[in-house]
Amino acid sequence: MAKKTVATLQTGKNDGRSYSKVIKMVKSPKTGAYTFQEEMVPNEGVQAFFKG
């Protein structure tokens, strides 16, 4: 008989979930080709990343 898996209780602040990986397409002024800019930013700073 297989054992049932039990979810562990998560307490406190989870630092891994307070950040998001964001990817933005940026057009190169020299060649006109698109490149991807990737960053790990806090969840509160996602909108600011895409504006700036």
Side-chain angles (χ1 to χ4, degrees), residues 25-36:
M25 279 184 27
V26 179
K27 189 171 185 176
S28 172
K30 290 182 181 180
T31 63
Y34 284 95
T35 59
F36 294 96

Side-chain angles (χ1 to χ4, degrees), residues 28-48:
S28 172
K30 290 182 181 180
T31 63
Y34 284 95
T35 59
F36 294 96
Q37 179 183 2
E38 299 180 17
E39 279 188 42
M40 293 292 290
V41 296
N43 289 339
E44 297 82 25
V46 172
Q47 295 297 325

Side-chain angles (χ1 to χ4, degrees), residues 1 3 14 19 25 38 41 48 52:
M1 182 176 215
K3 292 183 179 181
N14 296 327
Y19 284 85
M25 279 184 27
E38 299 180 17
V41 296

Side-chain angles (χ1 to χ4, degrees), residues 16-17 23 30:
R17 292 186 181 176
I23 303 171
K30 290 182 181 180

